């Protein structure tokens, strides 16, 4: 969705490679993200007018990709609204390509050729096409036997994820909304009350098989914002405290012998969890659905499976679909 340090990163790669051109294809048509006329769209809406434009931490302020990049680097952006055989003869700069379909991205890859792909950037939408163009091969991933229970750890505030949580709650998932104290007071994590609560959550997960740990306020509530104001906490500090608390609680759940597949939504949450566990390596296995990645990690001699996704995509039914898939796999193994 073009958040973060896109321009700085592209410029850094060009500088490190001593290059005056870099191919950039940010479209991800499989997820409804396309580029037309240099404008990035999310499900037909210009990105700055989408949910990513109202993100409380890293809002996308422009829909013109050139304007986004210009905020971070003076390197010129050269727009290619159509694929042309002579695109390698374009003026120097970041070569931005419009793309609205997988076929369109394949046409771009073929037109620029391996020379144009020597330095290239994009997202998951273009990664598979890059692999085909470079004729990369590898072993078919072996999907491990996943535990049928599902623990969803949610630190994302994106409305798309919120819709998924609501749907899941209405369809059999237990949902724990962390209180202000639980998610913002580091001392509570050291208390006996904390241990009691984690015991209760672990028991519920074992009994019910589907549980969400959620850090979001109830719909319409501003209690977290009010707490931050009273305690003079910046948005960044609140963000870090919440992700650290959620990570610590998840670590406690794992320490109680977690017999469940773990799912983590939001990059801050995943990073905080890995840091809390002291885990430096995640091994990707496969995509369970577009943009929903199954990985593995090792912690204290045990192997764990973790499903990850960013907050801003997926159907409202996603969590239920994944949980049903895990249950179905378990039934097939028993039979």
């Amino acid at each position: 969705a073009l958040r973060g340090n896109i321009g700085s990163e592209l410029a850094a790669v060009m500088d490190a490679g001593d290059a005056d051109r870099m191919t950039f294809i940010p479209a991800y048509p499989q997820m409804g993200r396309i580029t037309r006329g240099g404008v990035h769209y999310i499900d037909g809406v210009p990105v700055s007018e989408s949910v990513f434009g109202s993100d409380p931490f890293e809002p996308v302020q422009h829909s013109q990709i050139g304007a986004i990049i210009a905020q971070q680097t003076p390197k010129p952006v050269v727009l290619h609204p159509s694929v042309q055989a002579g695109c390698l003869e374009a003026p120097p700069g970041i070569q931005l390509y419009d793309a609205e379909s997988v076929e369109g991205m394949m046409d771009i890859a073929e037109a620029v050729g391996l020379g144009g792909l020597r330095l290239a950037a994009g997202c998951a939408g273009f990664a598979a096409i890059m692999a085909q163009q470079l004729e990369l091969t590898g072993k078919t991933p072996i999907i491990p036997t996943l535990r049928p229970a599902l623990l969803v750890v949610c630190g994302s505030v994106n409305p798309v994820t919120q819709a998924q949580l609501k749907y899941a709650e209405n369809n059999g998932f237990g949902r724990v909304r962390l209180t202000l104290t639980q998610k913002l007071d580091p001392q509570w994590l050291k208390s006996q009350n904390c241990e009691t609560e984690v015991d209760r959550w672990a028991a519920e997960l074992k009994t019910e098989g589907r549980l969400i740990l959620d850090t979001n306020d109830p719909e319409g509530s501003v209690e977290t914002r009010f707490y931050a104001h009273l305690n003079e906490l910046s948005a960044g500090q609140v963000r870090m405290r919440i992700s650290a608390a959620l990570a610590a609680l998840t670590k406690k759940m794992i320490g109680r012998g977690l017999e469940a597949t773990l799912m983590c939504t939001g990059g801050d949450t995943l990073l905080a969890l890995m840091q809390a566990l002291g885990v430096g390596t995640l091994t990707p296995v496969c995509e369970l659905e577009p943009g929903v990645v199954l990985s593995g990690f090792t912690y204290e001699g045990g192997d764990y499976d973790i499903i990850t996704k960013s907050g801003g995509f997926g159907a409202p039914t996603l969590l239920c679909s994944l949980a049903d898939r895990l249950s179905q796999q378990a039934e097939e193994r028993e039979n």
Side-chain angles (χ1 to χ4, degrees):
L2 301 177
R3 292 184 296 169
N5 306 305
I6 303 297
S8 299
E9 291 167 356
L10 298 181
V13 172
M14 291 175 68
D15 290 345
D18 193 23
D20 64 356
R21 290 172 174 78
M22 185 175 191
T23 298
F24 183 37
I25 307 173
Y28 194 174
Q30 302 96 314
M31 299 302 302
R33 304 179 183 192
I34 67 169
T35 306
R36 181 190 302 136
V39 175
H40 206 53
Y41 293 87
I42 308 291
D43 294 326
V45 178
V47 62
S48 65
E49 301 172 24
S50 73
V51 293
F52 297 102
S54 57
D55 186 276
F57 302 115
E58 294 178 345
V60 181
Q61 299 174 332
H62 304 281
S63 295
Q64 282 283 351
I65 297 174
I68 295 173
I69 293 175
Q71 290 180 304
Q72 302 169 14
T73 176
K75 290 187 184 297
V77 174
V78 181
L79 175 62
H80 296 269
S82 63
V83 178
Q84 300 173 0
C87 51
L88 292 180
E89 301 173 2
I94 297 169
Q95 310 294 315
L96 171 63
Y97 286 86
D98 279 356
E100 302 186 37
S101 66
V102 173
E103 293 75 17
M105 293 194 296
M106 293 176 65
D107 291 340
I108 295 168
E110 292 178 5
V112 301
L114 293 180
L117 297 177
R118 184 175 74 89
L119 285 183
C123 63
F126 190 56
I129 292 170
M130 279 285 291
Q132 294 176 25
Q133 196 73 7
L134 296 173
E135 298 181 352
L136 300 180
T137 59
K139 297 179 180 179
T140 300
I142 299 175
I143 300 179
T145 301
L146 300 176
R147 297 174 176 87
L150 181 62
L151 172 62
V152 179
V153 181
C154 177
S156 172
V157 298
N158 194 289
V160 174
T161 294
Q162 295 307 303
Q164 293 164 352
L165 298 182
K166 184 175 182 179
Y167 185 93
E169 183 181 13
N170 291 337
N171 287 273
F173 273 74
R175 184 175 183 178
V176 175
R177 291 183 183 270
L178 300 186
T179 66
L180 286 176
T181 299
Q182 291 170 344
K183 65 187 179 184
L184 289 172
D185 183 359
Q187 295 304 312
W188 181 81
L189 297 170
K190 305 174 184 178
S191 69
Q192 181 55 49
N193 181 258
C194 173
E195 300 301 326
T196 301
E197 285 296 287
V198 173
D199 285 339
R200 182 172 66 83
W201 301 337
E204 181 177 351
L205 176 61
K206 186 174 182 179
T207 302
E208 303 300 329
R210 302 179 179 188
L211 182 68
I212 298 167
L213 295 184
D214 183 20
T215 59
N216 288 278
D217 292 341
E219 188 174 354
S221 172
V222 294
E223 61 180 10
T224 298
R225 190 181 308 170
F226 185 65
Y227 179 97
H229 175 74
L230 287 179
N231 291 274
E232 298 182 342
L233 296 174
S234 67
Q237 289 173 317
V238 169
R239 183 180 186 178
M240 291 180 63
R241 283 198 184 188
I242 288 177
S243 60
L246 191 54
L249 293 171
T250 306
K251 180 179 179 180
K252 289 177 182 292
M253 293 282 285
I254 293 174
R256 281 160 170 75
L258 182 67
E259 291 295 328
T261 298
L262 180 61
M263 181 173 184
C264 188
T265 68
D268 286 347
T269 308
L270 176 61
L271 178 59
L273 176 58
M274 294 300 102
Q275 290 174 335
L277 296 176
V279 173
T281 302
L282 278 174
T283 304
V285 177
C286 67
E287 278 188 311
L288 296 176
E289 294 191 20
V292 180
V293 181
L294 173 65
S295 300
F297 67 90
T298 301
Y299 171 62
E300 293 189 344
D303 294 328
Y304 293 87
D305 305 303
I306 184 168
I307 301 170
T308 60
K309 83 171 192 73
S310 66
F313 61 76
T317 58
L318 176 63
L319 302 184
C320 289
S321 297
L322 290 172
D324 290 342
R325 179 172 177 173
L326 297 179
S327 298
Q328 182 178 354
Q329 288 178 347
E331 292 176 2
E332 291 174 351
R333 288 195 300 271
E334 290 178 359
N335 297 330

Short mmCIF file of all heavy atoms in Angstrom, two decimals, residues 180 184 222-235 237-238:
data_model
loop_
_atom_site.label_atom_id
_atom_site.label_comp_id
_atom_site.label_asym_id
_atom_site.label_seq_id
_atom_site.Cartn_x
_atom_site.Cartn_y
_atom_site.Cartn_z
N LEU A 180 -7.07 -1.45 29.11
CA LEU A 180 -6.02 -0.44 29.09
C LEU A 180 -4.82 -0.87 29.93
O LEU A 180 -3.67 -0.72 29.52
CB LEU A 180 -6.57 0.90 29.60
CG LEU A 180 -7.49 1.67 28.67
CD1 LEU A 180 -8.02 2.91 29.38
CD2 LEU A 180 -6.77 2.05 27.39
N LEU A 184 -1.20 -1.48 28.25
CA LEU A 184 -0.39 -0.26 28.34
C LEU A 184 0.41 -0.12 29.63
O LEU A 184 1.26 0.76 29.73
CB LEU A 184 -1.29 0.97 28.17
CG LEU A 184 -1.83 1.20 26.75
CD1 LEU A 184 -2.84 2.34 26.74
CD2 LEU A 184 -0.70 1.50 25.78
N VAL A 222 -12.71 5.72 22.59
CA VAL A 222 -11.44 6.45 22.44
C VAL A 222 -10.63 6.34 23.74
O VAL A 222 -9.80 7.20 24.04
CB VAL A 222 -11.69 7.94 22.09
CG1 VAL A 222 -12.32 8.07 20.71
CG2 VAL A 222 -12.57 8.62 23.15
N GLU A 223 -10.85 5.27 24.51
CA GLU A 223 -10.23 5.17 25.82
C GLU A 223 -8.70 5.10 25.73
O GLU A 223 -8.01 5.66 26.58
CB GLU A 223 -10.78 3.97 26.58
CG GLU A 223 -10.56 2.63 25.92
CD GLU A 223 -11.13 1.48 26.75
OE1 GLU A 223 -11.87 1.75 27.72
OE2 GLU A 223 -10.83 0.33 26.41
N THR A 224 -8.17 4.44 24.72
CA THR A 224 -6.71 4.36 24.57
C THR A 224 -6.13 5.74 24.28
O THR A 224 -5.10 6.14 24.86
CB THR A 224 -6.32 3.38 23.45
OG1 THR A 224 -6.78 2.07 23.80
CG2 THR A 224 -4.82 3.35 23.26
N ARG A 225 -6.78 6.48 23.42
CA ARG A 225 -6.32 7.83 23.09
C ARG A 225 -6.39 8.73 24.33
O ARG A 225 -5.48 9.53 24.59
CB ARG A 225 -7.18 8.41 21.96
CG ARG A 225 -6.65 9.70 21.37
CD ARG A 225 -7.57 10.21 20.28
NE ARG A 225 -7.85 9.18 19.28
CZ ARG A 225 -8.77 9.30 18.33
NH1 ARG A 225 -9.52 10.39 18.27
NH2 ARG A 225 -8.96 8.34 17.47
N PHE A 226 -7.45 8.57 25.13
CA PHE A 226 -7.60 9.38 26.34
C PHE A 226 -6.52 9.02 27.35
O PHE A 226 -5.92 9.89 27.99
CB PHE A 226 -9.00 9.15 26.92
CG PHE A 226 -9.31 10.03 28.10
CD1 PHE A 226 -9.40 11.40 27.96
CD2 PHE A 226 -9.52 9.48 29.37
CE1 PHE A 226 -9.68 12.21 29.05
CE2 PHE A 226 -9.80 10.28 30.46
CZ PHE A 226 -9.88 11.66 30.30
N TYR A 227 -6.26 7.72 27.50
CA TYR A 227 -5.21 7.26 28.42
C TYR A 227 -3.86 7.82 28.00
O TYR A 227 -3.08 8.28 28.85
CB TYR A 227 -5.18 5.73 28.42
CG TYR A 227 -4.12 5.11 29.31
CD1 TYR A 227 -4.43 4.67 30.59
CD2 TYR A 227 -2.81 4.95 28.87
CE1 TYR A 227 -3.47 4.09 31.41
CE2 TYR A 227 -1.84 4.38 29.67
CZ TYR A 227 -2.17 3.95 30.94
OH TYR A 227 -1.20 3.37 31.74
N ALA A 228 -3.59 7.78 26.71
CA ALA A 228 -2.31 8.30 26.20
C ALA A 228 -2.17 9.79 26.50
O ALA A 228 -1.09 10.27 26.89
CB ALA A 228 -2.20 8.04 24.71
N HIS A 229 -3.27 10.52 26.35
CA HIS A 229 -3.24 11.96 26.62
C HIS A 229 -2.96 12.23 28.10
O HIS A 229 -2.12 13.08 28.45
CB HIS A 229 -4.56 12.60 26.20
CG HIS A 229 -4.68 14.06 26.54
ND1 HIS A 229 -3.99 15.04 25.84
CD2 HIS A 229 -5.39 14.70 27.50
CE1 HIS A 229 -4.27 16.22 26.36
NE2 HIS A 229 -5.12 16.04 27.37
N LEU A 230 -3.64 11.50 28.99
CA LEU A 230 -3.46 11.71 30.42
C LEU A 230 -2.05 11.37 30.87
O LEU A 230 -1.50 12.00 31.77
CB LEU A 230 -4.46 10.85 31.21
CG LEU A 230 -5.93 11.30 31.20
CD1 LEU A 230 -6.77 10.33 32.01
CD2 LEU A 230 -6.07 12.71 31.76
N ASN A 231 -1.44 10.36 30.23
CA ASN A 231 -0.12 9.90 30.63
C ASN A 231 0.99 10.45 29.73
O ASN A 231 2.14 10.01 29.83
CB ASN A 231 -0.08 8.38 30.64
CG ASN A 231 -0.93 7.77 31.74
OD1 ASN A 231 -0.48 7.61 32.87
ND2 ASN A 231 -2.17 7.45 31.41
N GLU A 232 0.63 11.40 28.89
CA GLU A 232 1.59 12.08 28.01
C GLU A 232 2.40 11.08 27.18
O GLU A 232 3.63 11.17 27.08
CB GLU A 232 2.52 12.99 28.83
CG GLU A 232 1.78 14.10 29.57
CD GLU A 232 2.72 15.01 30.34
OE1 GLU A 232 3.87 14.60 30.58
OE2 GLU A 232 2.31 16.13 30.67
N LEU A 233 1.70 10.14 26.60
CA LEU A 233 2.33 9.15 25.73
C LEU A 233 2.08 9.52 24.27
O LEU A 233 0.96 9.85 23.88
CB LEU A 233 1.74 7.76 25.99
CG LEU A 233 1.97 7.15 27.38
CD1 LEU A 233 1.20 5.83 27.49
CD2 LEU A 233 3.45 6.92 27.63
N SER A 234 3.12 9.48 23.48
CA SER A 234 2.97 9.76 22.05
C SER A 234 2.34 8.55 21.37
O SER A 234 2.28 7.45 21.93
CB SER A 234 4.33 10.05 21.42
OG SER A 234 5.14 8.88 21.42
N ALA A 235 1.88 8.77 20.13
CA ALA A 235 1.30 7.66 19.37
C ALA A 235 2.33 6.55 19.18
O ALA A 235 2.00 5.36 19.26
CB ALA A 235 0.80 8.16 18.02
N GLN A 237 4.81 5.79 21.21
CA GLN A 237 5.00 5.09 22.48
C GLN A 237 3.85 4.13 22.76
O GLN A 237 4.06 3.01 23.24
CB GLN A 237 5.13 6.11 23.62
CG GLN A 237 6.44 6.88 23.60
CD GLN A 237 6.46 8.00 24.63
OE1 GLN A 237 5.48 8.73 24.80
NE2 GLN A 237 7.58 8.13 25.33
N VAL A 238 2.63 4.57 22.45
CA VAL A 238 1.46 3.69 22.62
C VAL A 238 1.61 2.47 21.73
O VAL A 238 1.37 1.33 22.15
CB VAL A 238 0.17 4.46 22.29
CG1 VAL A 238 -1.02 3.50 22.20
CG2 VAL A 238 -0.09 5.53 23.33
#
